[in-house]
Amino acid sequence: MDMVEFLKGLFSFSIIIPASIMCYLPMKNQLKFSVKKIALLLAGAFVIIATVSSLITVLFNIRTINTVPMPDMIICFLLLRYTVKTDFAKTLFVFLSIICLFSTFSLFTYEIESFYKPEMDYGISFSFDLLFMGISLFFMAILAYPMLKYYSWMIDNIKYKKLWYSFMVLPIIVTLLNIYSIPITYFNLRVGMIGIKALMINSIIFLLYILVFALFYIFSKTTIEKTKLEEQNFMLEIQTSYNESLQTYINQTAKARHDLKHSVHLAQCLLDEGDLDSLRKYLCKYYQALNITAPVRLCSSNAINAVLNYYRQSAIDNEIDITWKINMPPKSEIPEVDFCGILGNLSENAISACKTISEGRKYFDLSIDYKGDYIYIAATNNFCGDLKKSDRGYESTKHKGGGIGLRSMRNMAEVYGGYFEAVDVDNKFCVNMTLKYVDVNA
């Protein structure tokens, strides 16, 4: 075995190092282990991967060097998946986006090397690998800050898997385009201005690729911040309503205590006079006056408790019977805002459906419990009328198109690794939902 070729192979496969670093930059807040532990793990993996790959390339005299990294990339992806907390969609997207960048850097290397080198080397080329490494490190230095700040924000805040899968088309297309654009010979690039034009086109595609990421970030940040602001306003309204209900209850209770002495005296007078009918009527009116709905403590979370009391009062005001069993876990990694949004949509739909009943009993049953890593939510309410259902799910009864509340709950179940089901049977609407509240990114 040629030791020089083996060492050249080691250097060639050392491109894995900057590629791995760039994969972890947007994952800075999603690491399962410490940076030191991950670095040691990757160092050991690199020694094994680079050594084996270089040996295979030299021993079997593989001329098409691009065929060897394919199994290496699979191993690197599995290592990335093992060391980060993000779901499969985000992990795969980050990995593909970095592969796309390095395919662009590789194409830059071919185009630049063609200006001063008569012909490309097939197999391991130290001059190519040295230039490739230099270009990769140069762009890594430029992109490090945006990836640490903006790309990592996208990873931390954009939770919808379908969005990541949809956006995955971009790096795949650009990577395939770069592979297709790899020159067969440098002679072709030196014909006329083809080499310069190729470099310019590749640069434009690279800038457009970065621009699309920037636009995606701006759109996502604007949308998410707007949604969070709306949720915060909703929570403030709920909390205000809860505080007003509590204050009303306090005032009514104070008034009842103040009037108690006079009421007892009047009742005693009516009893002494033997006027039982008047006494009965008076006690009945007095009981109705004391029928004050007090806010109750349904769970330890003030925010969730306020939402539940808000809709509890709404149900009572609309003469809807409620049977609620609330058992929340002591700690949850699901943000209160998201959970309150789920309960708000669920309760709003249930109470609106009960309002369609003009005669007979109206009811809204809700059960929240937890077991293992999951929270289980089950809700049942009755309604009057017919519900329309399409391929997208239930149609809204308030506007054209699908129900926003149900779609939102379905999305939340997907985000938190759970399950969502909504069915109706004999004018009874049932929602079953699970949410993973422990290590929600796993």
Side-chain angles (χ1 to χ4, degrees):
M1 183 183 71
D2 190 336
M3 184 57 65
V4 174
E5 289 298 309
F6 172 72
L7 293 176
K8 287 181 179 179
L10 282 179
F11 180 75
S12 178
F13 289 102
S14 66
I15 196 66
I16 295 173
I17 297 174
S20 299
I21 293 173
M22 291 191 73
C23 282
Y24 283 98
L25 291 180
M27 300 287 200
K28 66 171 186 175
N29 300 322
Q30 303 294 337
L31 303 180
K32 282 185 181 179
F33 314 108
S34 66
V35 174
K36 182 179 179 180
K37 186 174 181 179
I38 292 176
L40 290 173
L41 177 64
L42 294 180
F46 165 73
V47 171
I48 297 172
I49 293 172
T51 302
V52 174
S53 299
S54 183
L55 282 172
I56 292 173
T57 303
V58 174
L59 292 176
F60 293 95
N61 194 26
I62 297 176
R63 307 291 289 174
T64 308
I65 193 71
N66 290 326
T67 60
V68 179
M70 292 303 295
D72 294 348
M73 287 191 289
I74 295 174
I75 296 172
C76 290
F77 173 74
L78 294 176
L79 284 171
L80 179 66
R81 183 80 179 99
Y82 172 70
T83 54
V84 297
K85 296 186 289 186
T86 50
D87 56 48
F88 180 82
K90 289 182 183 179
T91 308
L92 182 59
F93 180 85
V94 170
F95 188 76
L96 290 176
S97 68
I98 301 304
I99 292 295
C100 179
L101 284 176
F102 275 77
S103 69
T104 303
F105 303 158
S106 176
L107 198 55
F108 279 141
T109 306
Y110 281 113
E111 292 161 351
I112 293 173
E113 191 180 47
S114 69
F115 292 136
Y116 63 86
K117 192 171 183 179
E119 193 51 80
M120 67 170 58
D121 296 322
Y122 294 94
I124 298 174
S125 172
F126 181 74
S127 61
F128 177 90
D129 294 331
L130 186 63
L131 180 59
F132 185 22
M133 180 66 75
I135 291 174
S136 300
L137 293 175
F138 172 75
F139 280 106
M140 185 178 75
I142 293 175
L143 297 174
Y145 178 76
M147 294 181 76
L148 285 169
K149 184 175 181 179
Y150 305 112
Y151 200 173
S152 65
W153 182 93
M154 292 165 62
I155 295 299
D156 295 341
N157 291 277
I158 302 176
K159 302 174 182 178
Y160 301 107
K161 295 180 182 179
K162 291 181 180 178
L163 186 59
W164 288 110
Y165 281 124
S166 300
F167 195 38
M168 212 174 283
V169 175
L170 175 65
I172 291 175
I173 291 176
V174 176
T175 301
L176 292 176
L177 183 62
N178 288 336
I179 294 173
Y180 178 77
S181 302
I182 294 175
I184 299 175
T185 173
Y186 285 162
F187 176 78
N188 294 336
L189 293 177
R190 286 194 294 272
V191 175
M193 302 287 288
I194 292 179
I196 296 176
K197 290 178 181 178
L199 184 59
M200 291 176 62
I201 292 172
N202 192 27
S203 300
I204 292 172
I205 293 174
F206 172 69
L207 291 175
L208 288 175
Y209 180 70
I210 300 299
L211 178 62
V212 171
F213 263 82
L215 292 175
F216 183 46
Y217 166 78
I218 294 170
F219 172 78
S220 302
K221 189 172 182 62
T222 302
T223 304
I224 290 174
E225 287 183 347
K226 181 182 177 182
T227 302
K228 285 183 177 180
L229 183 61
E230 291 175 350
E231 290 174 344
Q232 289 173 356
N233 290 335
F234 172 73
M235 289 301 301
L236 286 174
E237 291 177 3
I238 293 292
Q239 190 65 51
T240 301
S241 176
Y242 174 69
N243 292 337
E244 289 176 352
S245 299
L246 191 61
Q247 187 60 47
T248 300
Y249 173 72
I250 293 173
N251 294 337
Q252 290 176 337
T253 304
K255 183 177 182 299
R257 286 200 304 268
H258 179 268
D259 296 340
L260 180 62
K261 180 179 179 180
H262 303 290
S263 299
V264 170
H265 177 71
L266 178 58
Q268 183 64 48
C269 291
L270 292 174
L271 182 64
D272 292 342
E273 294 174 1
D275 192 352
L276 297 181
D277 289 337
S278 297
L279 178 60
R280 189 177 297 107
K281 291 178 181 179
Y282 176 76
L283 289 176
C284 182
K285 291 181 180 179
Y286 187 73
Y287 175 77
Q288 292 176 353
L290 288 176
N291 190 20
I292 305 169
T293 303
V296 296
R297 193 70 179 176
L298 296 168
C299 66
S300 59
S301 168
N302 292 329
I304 296 174
N305 195 66
V307 171
L308 290 172
N309 269 282
Y310 175 83
Y311 287 105
R312 175 177 174 270
Q313 185 60 52
S314 178
I316 293 172
D317 293 342
N318 289 279
E319 298 180 342
I320 299 171
D321 295 338
I322 55 174
T323 303
W324 290 2
K325 297 178 181 179
I326 312 298
N327 184 27
M328 294 288 296
K331 293 182 179 180
S332 172
E333 293 188 19
I334 301 176
E336 286 186 338
V337 171
D338 287 351
F339 201 84
C340 288
I342 293 170
L343 294 180
N345 285 317
L346 185 67
S347 302
E348 185 73 32
N349 288 345
I351 292 173
S352 296
C354 289
K355 289 180 181 179
T356 61
I357 301 174
S358 56
E359 295 181 359
R361 177 175 176 261
K362 298 178 283 187
Y363 66 88
F364 170 27
D365 298 337
L366 175 64
S367 174
I368 302 177
D369 206 348
Y370 67 96
K371 184 177 181 181
D373 294 345
Y374 288 87
I375 295 176
Y376 297 86
I377 303 173
T380 305
N381 63 270
N382 56 348
F383 65 93
C384 181
D386 297 322
L387 297 178
K388 295 181 180 179
K389 194 174 183 181
S390 65
D391 295 337
R392 298 175 298 177
Y394 284 97
E395 298 291 324
S396 174
T397 58
K398 303 173 185 176
H399 55 79
K400 292 183 179 180
I404 296 175
L406 292 177
R407 187 166 66 246
S408 175
M409 286 186 281
R410 188 182 300 277
N411 289 337
M412 284 293 103
E414 180 183 327
V415 167
Y416 295 108
Y419 168 79
F420 178 85
E421 178 188 47
V423 296
D424 68 288
V425 181
D426 299 330
N427 293 110
K428 181 172 70 174
F429 194 81
C430 304
V431 171
N432 294 302
M433 188 174 184
T434 64
L435 301 165
K436 190 175 182 181
Y437 72 95
V438 176
D439 197 11
V440 295
N441 287 311

